[in-house]
Each structure stands twice: as structure tokens, then as C-alpha cells.
């Protein structure tokens, strides 16, 4: 048998796994079908855009597109910041208590997951519109949500809430209560034990919760346009361009958004890989 | 130093039920009992992590209800050591002192001293999850001692260690207790820990205090059948007192009569507790002993465990004896072998009728207490 480099490589592959695992190979083929869908969609739009690079550059450098992407990312960040401030204590309480009310609270938190986005948008709108339960008194103070940045933020907050709270709660649940107990016997108050032991121990989950919530927030469309069509977030802009400029123009904006999101998420996922890992043998 | 005055704590379906304990300064106090008996709850109540639903916990005579754990200066080491995973060994040990706002210089000196004492200086910059069980345990104890505690609480700290590391740590705990005069409360279900280290102990069963006394007293004179079983009395035989004279009673246990040192009224029902290693097994035609209780029997079953063998023997009732595997080989003990069983009257601990318990009968195959 010819021992060519190619055959040697094949032997190495077989040798490294001992023998071929047909079960895993089968699973990979079936699972691969699912990956194929976004991959094809991505390739399709990429090839289309790269065919006319000057047009793509002209779209990507439009002030409205750049402003819209920055607005979307910024509103998402504000929504995540609010979630960190209010969602973190809530997640901790849900993780550390076993009250019968927990299920009710958890169901309320999960509600945006199951609601059609238009329904979520309608709920937010009714609450924050200028005649709404919260919107009306705040309008008196000069705070307006309709067609305003704050409107975008509350819509994003509403739909992103379950992603943050559930992920962080799971992280807190994984921190043994014994760690807090020991910290307290060593002189830490309950709040200090939370800040110095629980938070750092669940940093990975908190970061993941932020990524998921931010991702969900910036991808929202229906809930946002119900309360704030203007200023246009990127989803609204793409829809606007689709109805006024056609597929070519809207897909160019979409492609810019895809590249921006891919870059940001790649960086975030790379950071997560090393965050909160305390066993260097893993 | 620490007293429990009828302390009750309900946690879900579990109830720690009116437990009263007394831990004196300088004690190496053991809390023993089966899993789920409520031992850890007692430790958490002492440290202030759990507040009694009723009853009082007194420290130096003062009710400590309302004093949070961070104000009590009580060191706690859990079975899993609970080291902070995001801190190095050095920072773990320094944590308590920093929480107490000690000057950085003093913290550094104390950390170095403890790391030297526990021979973990080379691990100073390591993450806890990369350490072995023995190393983690040393760090956990050093961290607990760093706050100069008045009381050290240990929750089964030896259970996850290999036998060699375990023996070394028993010596280390002994020296901590002896050299520093520290009061230690140690939860375990391992009898060897208590007999090696303990001065006093409490037996907790099903959330209730079953017995509290000196370690040697409890091991010699358990107060009930369940305590006796837990403390390693493999044979608990129930019988009726036939006669009693000058502290020597004859007890009918079915086909045989046993002589025991006790004071009991004839006709009363008592239980006899005999450790398997207090029973001598000889060949049927072997040398007789000076023991008062000598019975003929037949080996039913033999179980080898390391250098020892358990023999289950029918002498009218079923009893368990421990012999060396060497004896088993030399005397050709096997199932069906006729043997002569003997034990001294003083080797029998007698439980009075009022502490008879009929729950949890021995369920070993072929064995029942009659």
C-alpha cells in the first residue's frame, strides 16, 4: 500500500478516534441540515451584495444607515443596562427562594417569550403611550415614549427580559449556598457575600445573559414599531427601504447589519470563552 | 460555651426537634448521626446561618438570637470545603481578615504564617479548583482559622479524603485542638473520627437528640437500640431476665441463656448489645475459654473484607462475629462449619426495657432479631 501523505492523514484521522463513530457522523449530517439554512441565506445575500460593491459601500456609508445601527445598538445597550440593574436582584431572589409566588413571577417574566411580538408591542404601547398608565404621568414630567428613544428602549426591555433573568437566575442557582454561608461566617454581610462571592462566581452567566438579551433587543421589530416607528432602528429602516426602495436597497442595509452583528458577537463570544473559568486544566 | 436550649428548626419537611446541647470551652465535640439526621442544621444554627423557630442558643450564657453570622467569630468548614473558586488560595485565606478590616501588612503576615503551618505556601497563587481534596481541605481550615475563631465548626471534613491523607489530617486536627486550645464541633457519621479525636459527643437521630455524653461513655453505653446500631453494636438480642443476683443476670434469648452484668427484675424484657469483635469464635472441638457465655453454633455465611472476615453464626439466634482472615484460613471456617462461640458477660451492654425500639429491624438476609 502506498504510504502517501494523503493516506497517512486518513490513517491519523481514523487513529485519533480509534474507530469511526457512525452515530456521531449521522447526527452531524442531520444537524448539518439545520446549519445549512442560515448558511445558504447568508451566502445568497453575500454573493448578491459582493456583485455590486460600489453600491454596497454607498449604502454602508449613508448617515441614516450608520445612525440607525448605532441607535439600535445603543438602545439595546441601555435596555441591557436596565436589565442588569433590576434583573440581577430579581434573578438572585428567584434563585435563592422557594416561595409559591416564584412560579407566578417566573411565568410573568417568561410571558414575552410566548407572546406574538405585535401583542408584546401593543402591551408596551398601551402602558407607555401618552395616555397610558405609566406614559401619562411621565408625560407631565416631560418624559415621552411614543416615537422616542425611550419607547424603543422599553419595547426592547420587555422582549429581552426573560433572556437575561432566566440565564442569570440559572447562574446564581449554580453557585452553592455554602459559599455564601462561609463568606458570612468569615465576616461578610449578606450583601457583601452577594457582591464578592456570588456575582464573580456567576460572571459567565451574567455575561451570557447580557449577550442574549442584547441580541434579542436589537433584533426586535414588531414591538418597537408599535410604540416608536421613529427614530428608525435598523429593523424599521430595512422594512422602510424594502417598501420604498425594493429588495436591492433593503438587502444592502441588511447585509451591513449582518456584518456589524457578526463582528460584535464574534468578539463577545471570544470574551465569554475565557470569562469566569477558574479551572485552568479545563 | 455554646448551649442549645430546646432548639427547634423546621426546614421543609424536616424538623430539628427541641434539641438541647451543651458544648464546653475546649471541647472537641462530635455530632454524630445517620445522614439526614439534622447534624449540619445544628452547625448552621450555631454559626447563626439558621435562626431557631423556638428555643434559645446561648453563647457564653447570652442568647445570640439576632446576632448575624458575620459578628460571631465562628469558623465553618463544609464537607465540600467551599473555597471561593474565583480567588487564589492566598486570597481565600485573606478573605476573612479583609472583611474584618485588618491592616494589609497584618493580613499578609497572618496568611503567610497559616500557609506555612499547613504547608500550602507553594499553592498560594493556585485556583482552588486545581487543588486535590487534601490541599483544598488544608486551605479551607487555614481560611477558617485566619479569623482567629472562638469556635471551629467542621462538617464532615474528612469524608472525601483517601485513608493516608485522612490519618494525617486527624493528627493535624488533634494538634490544632491541643496546641491552640480551640473549641471544635465536628459533624461526622464515621465512628473512627469520634473515637480518635472527640472528648464529648451528641447522637442525633431523626432530628432529635438521642444521647449526649463523653465519647467513651456513649460508645460503651449507648442509650437505645438505634444508637447502639449506629455505634457499631452488630448484635442486638432481645430477651427476658430469668434471674438476677449480685449484678449478674441470666437472660433467656430463646434456645440459649446469656449471663450479663446488669441489675434487672426477673421477667423484665431487655436488649443485649454485643460488638462483633467482642465475640470469640473457635472450632467446635477447640480450647474452651474463661468466658461465661459459650454456645455451640453453625456458620451460616462468611464475608471477607480486607484483613477481617464477618461470620454470621446461628446459635439459636443469629449473631455476627469478626475474625481475622488468617484465622478463617487456619481454622477452615466456612458456611456449615460447626463452631463454638463465646463472649464475656462484661462485653454485653444491656438496654433497659423502656428504650426498646422495634423500628428498623435488621434486614440482612437470613438474620432477624427475635
Amino acid at each position: 500500500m502506498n504510504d502517501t501523505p494523503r493516506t497517512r492523514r486518513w490513517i491519523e484521522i481514523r487513529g485519533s478516534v480509534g474507530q469511526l463513530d457512525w452515530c456521531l457522523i449521522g447526527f452531524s449530517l442531520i444537524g448539518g441540515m439545520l446549519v445549512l439554512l442560515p448558511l445558504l441565506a447568508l451566502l445568497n445575500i453575500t454573493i448578491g451584495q459582493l456583485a455590486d460593491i460600489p453600491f454596497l459601500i454607498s449604502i454602508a456609508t449613508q448617515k441614516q444607515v450608520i445612525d440607525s445601527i448605532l441607535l439600535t445598538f445603543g438602545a439595546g445597550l441601555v435596555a441591557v443596562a436596565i436589565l442588569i440593574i433590576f434583573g440581577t436582584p430579581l434573578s438572585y431572589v428567584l434563585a435563592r427562594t422557594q416561595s409559591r409566588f416564584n412560579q407566578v413571577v417566573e411565568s410573568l417574566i417568561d410571558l414575552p417569550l410566548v407572546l406574538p411580538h405585535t401583542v408584546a408591542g401593543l402591551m408596551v404601547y398601551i402602558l407607555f403611550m401618552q395616555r397610558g398608565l405609566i406614559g401619562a404621568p411621565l408625560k407631565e414630567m416631560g418624559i415621552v415614549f411614543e416615537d422616542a428613544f425611550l419607547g424603543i428602549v422599553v419595547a426592547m426591555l420587555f422582549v429581552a427580559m426573560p433572556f437575561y433573568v432566566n440565564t442569570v437566575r440559572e447562574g446564581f442557582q449554580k453557585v452553592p449556598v455554602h459559599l455564601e454561608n462561609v463568606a458570612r461566617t468569615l465576616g461578610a454581610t449578606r450583601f457583601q457575600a452577594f457582591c464578592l462571592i456570588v456575582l464573580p462566581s456567576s460572571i459567565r452567566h451574567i455575561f451570557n445573559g447580557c449577550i442574549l438579551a442584547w441580541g434579542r433587543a436589537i433584533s426586535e421589530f414588531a414591538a418597537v414599531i408599535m410604540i416608536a416607528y421613529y427614530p428608525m432602528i435598523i429593523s424599521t429602516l430595512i422594512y422602510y427601504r424594502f417598501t420604498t426602495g425594493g429588495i436591492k436597497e433593503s438587502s444592502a442595509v441588511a447585509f451591513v447589519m449582518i456584518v456589524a452583528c457578526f463582528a460584535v458577537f464574534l468578539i463577545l463570544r471570544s470574551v465569554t470563552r475565557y470569562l469566569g473559568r477558574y479551572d485552568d486544566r479545563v | 460555651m455554646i448551649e442549645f436550649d430546646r432548639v427547634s428548626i423546621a426546614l421543609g419537611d424536616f424538623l430539628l426537634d427541641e434539641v438541647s446541647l451543651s458544648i464546653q470551652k475546649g471541647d472537641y465535640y462530635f455530632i454524630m448521626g445517620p445522614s439526614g439526621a439534622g447534624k449540619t442544621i445544628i452547625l448552621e444554627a450555631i454559626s447563626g446561618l439558621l435562626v431557631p423557630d423556638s428555643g434559645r442558643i446561648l453563647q457564653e450564657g447570652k442568647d445570640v438570637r439576632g446576632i448575624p453570622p458575620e459578628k460571631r467569630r465562628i469558623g465553618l468548614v463544609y464537607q465540600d470545603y467551599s473555597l471561593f473558586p474565583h480567588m487564589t488560595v492566598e486570597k481565600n485565606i485573606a478573605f476573612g481578615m479583609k472583611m474584618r478590616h485588618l491592616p494589609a501588612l497584618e493580613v499578609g503576615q497572618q496568611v503567610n504564617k497559616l500557609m506555612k503551618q499547613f504547608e500550602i505556601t507553594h499553592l498560594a497563587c493556585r485556583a482552588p479548583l486545581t487543588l486535590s481534596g487534601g490541599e483544598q481541605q488544608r486551605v479551607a481550615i487555614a481560611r477558617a482559622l485566619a479569623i482567629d475563631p472562638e469556635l471551629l465548626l467542621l462538617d464532615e471534613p474528612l469524608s472525601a479524603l483517601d485513608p493516608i491523607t485522612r490519618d494525617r489530617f486527624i493528627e493535624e486536627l488533634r494538634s490544632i485542638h491541643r496546641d491552640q486550645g480551640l473549641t471544635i464541633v465536628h459533624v461526622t457519621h464515621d465512628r473512627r473520627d469520634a473515637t480518635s479525636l472527640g472528648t464529648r459527643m451528641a447522637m442525633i437521630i431523626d432530628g432529635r437528640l438521642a444521647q449526649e455524653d463523653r465519647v467513651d461513655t456513649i460508645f460503651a453505653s449507648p442509650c437505645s437500640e438505634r444508637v447502639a446500631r449506629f455505634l457499631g453494636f452488630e448484635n442486638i438480642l432481645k430477651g427476658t431476665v430469668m434471674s438476677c443476683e449480685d449484678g449478674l443476670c441470666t437472660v433467656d434469648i430463646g434456645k440459649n441463656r446469656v449471663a450479663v452484668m446488669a441489675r434487672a427484675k426477673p421477667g423484665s424484657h431487655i436488649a443485649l448489645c454485643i460488638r462483633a469483635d467482642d465475640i470469640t469464635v473457635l472450632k467446635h472441638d477447640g480450647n474452651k475459654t474463661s468466658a461465661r457465655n459459650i454456645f455451640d453454633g453453625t456458620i451460616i455465611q462468611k464475608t471477607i473484607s480486607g484483613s477481617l472476615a464477618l461470620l454470621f453464626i446461628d446459635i439459636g439466634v443469629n449473631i455476627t462475629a469478626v475474625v481475622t482472615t488468617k484465622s478463617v484460613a487456619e481454622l477452615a471456617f466456612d458456611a456449615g462449619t460447626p463452631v463454638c462461640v463465646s463472649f464475656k458477660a462484661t462485653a454485653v451492654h444491656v438496654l433497659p426495657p423502656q428504650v426498646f425500639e422495634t423500628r428498623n429491624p435488621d434486614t440482612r438476609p437470613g438474620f432477624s432479631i427475635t
Side-chain angles (χ1 to χ4, degrees), chain A residues 40-87:
Chain A
L40 269 179
L42 202 62
L43 278 176
N44 196 26
I45 197 167
T46 306
I47 291 164
Q49 294 310 309
L50 294 181
D52 190 355
I53 291 175
F55 178 74
L56 179 65
I57 291 170
S58 74
I59 293 289
T61 51
Q62 277 179 9
K63 188 174 181 304
Q64 192 187 24
V65 173
I66 295 168
D67 284 352
S68 182
I69 289 176
L70 290 177
L71 172 71
T72 311
F73 284 9
L77 275 179
V78 174
V80 169
I82 295 170
L83 278 174
I84 291 173
I85 294 166
F86 293 97

Side-chain angles (χ1 to χ4, degrees), chain B residues 12-322:
Chain B
D13 293 336
F14 179 81
L15 175 67
L16 188 74
D17 193 8
E18 297 202 345
V19 169
S20 295
L21 300 173
S22 175
I23 301 163
Q24 301 304 320
K25 197 171 177 64
D27 268 352
Y28 198 123
Y29 192 94
F30 269 86
I31 298 174
M32 284 188 76
S35 300
K39 306 184 293 292
T40 302
I41 290 176
I42 292 176
L43 285 196
E44 291 181 343
I46 293 173
S47 60
L49 293 161
L50 291 175
V51 179
D53 297 322
S54 66
R56 296 182 307 159
I57 298 174
L58 308 170
Q59 190 170 354
E60 310 294 358
K62 290 179 185 166
D63 192 340
V64 288
R65 180 182 287 272
I67 300 177
E70 59 268 24
K71 305 277 185 201
R72 293 197 186 191
R73 266 186 59 208
I74 291 175
L76 173 63
V77 177
Y78 278 114
Q79 183 178 6
D80 58 7
Y81 311 128
S82 294
L83 297 177
F84 307 137
H86 57 294
M87 294 182 193
T88 60
V89 164
E90 197 174 13
K91 285 180 178 168
N92 262 280
I93 298 171
F95 183 85
M97 290 181 278
K98 284 184 179 169
M99 287 296 102
R100 285 158 206 278
H101 308 293
L102 294 185
L105 186 68
E106 195 181 328
V107 172
Q109 285 172 345
Q110 182 68 2
V111 168
N112 288 334
K113 186 182 150 197
L114 284 163
M115 287 199 297
K116 204 170 172 184
Q117 181 186 342
F118 287 94
E119 298 171 15
I120 48 175
T121 308
H122 60 292
L123 305 173
C125 297
R126 290 268 296 274
L129 292 177
T130 66
L131 306 180
S132 69
E135 289 169 337
Q136 286 189 37
Q137 194 214 37
R138 275 183 276 168
V139 177
I141 293 178
R143 182 179 64 178
L145 292 177
I147 59 167
D148 189 22
E150 292 172 353
L151 184 63
L152 180 62
L153 309 177
L154 306 173
D155 187 3
E156 302 194 34
L158 306 172
S159 60
L161 300 180
D162 62 81
I164 295 168
T165 315
R166 179 193 182 87
D167 289 345
R168 219 180 76 209
F169 262 94
I170 285 180
E171 286 313 311
E172 287 197 19
L173 288 172
R174 196 194 311 280
S175 71
I176 290 169
H177 177 240
R178 187 186 54 222
D179 301 342
Q180 301 183 18
L182 189 62
T183 309
I184 299 177
V185 181
H186 186 143
V187 159
T188 188
H189 51 240
D190 194 314
R191 300 189 290 264
R192 290 171 300 167
D193 296 351
T195 49
S196 310
L197 293 162
T199 54
R200 284 168 52 78
M201 67 179 274
M203 277 295 306
I204 305 292
I205 293 177
D206 291 343
R208 300 184 73 112
L209 176 70
Q211 194 171 3
E212 186 195 29
D213 212 320
R214 289 183 54 82
V215 171
D216 47 4
T217 307
I218 291 184
F219 270 82
S221 311
C223 68
S224 70
E225 182 182 328
R226 291 188 75 188
V227 173
R229 280 199 184 284
F230 191 83
L231 296 180
F233 284 88
E234 291 86 349
N235 301 293
I236 298 179
L237 313 172
K238 290 176 182 172
T240 309
V241 178
M242 303 301 293
S243 63
C244 214
E245 200 172 313
D246 295 333
L248 183 66
C249 299
T250 305
V251 182
D252 179 10
I253 57 164
K255 289 183 181 172
N256 293 304
R257 290 184 177 183
V258 178
V260 300
M261 305 298 289
R263 292 186 188 281
K265 285 181 184 170
S268 59
H269 300 287
I270 58 173
L272 312 178
C273 308
I274 311 159
R275 290 185 189 277
D277 50 11
D278 283 333
I279 295 175
T280 309
V281 186
L282 299 166
K283 286 289 274 184
H284 196 254
D285 53 353
N287 296 327
K288 297 294 179 191
T289 73
S290 61
R292 283 182 182 273
N293 300 299
I294 303 170
F295 308 104
D296 291 333
T298 308
I299 295 174
I300 303 169
Q301 193 184 323
K302 173 183 76 178
T303 306
I304 305 283
S305 173
S307 60
L308 297 174
L310 277 180
L311 299 178
F312 303 115
I313 303 164
D314 179 8
I315 59 164
V317 291
N318 297 319
I319 61 162
T320 308
V322 176

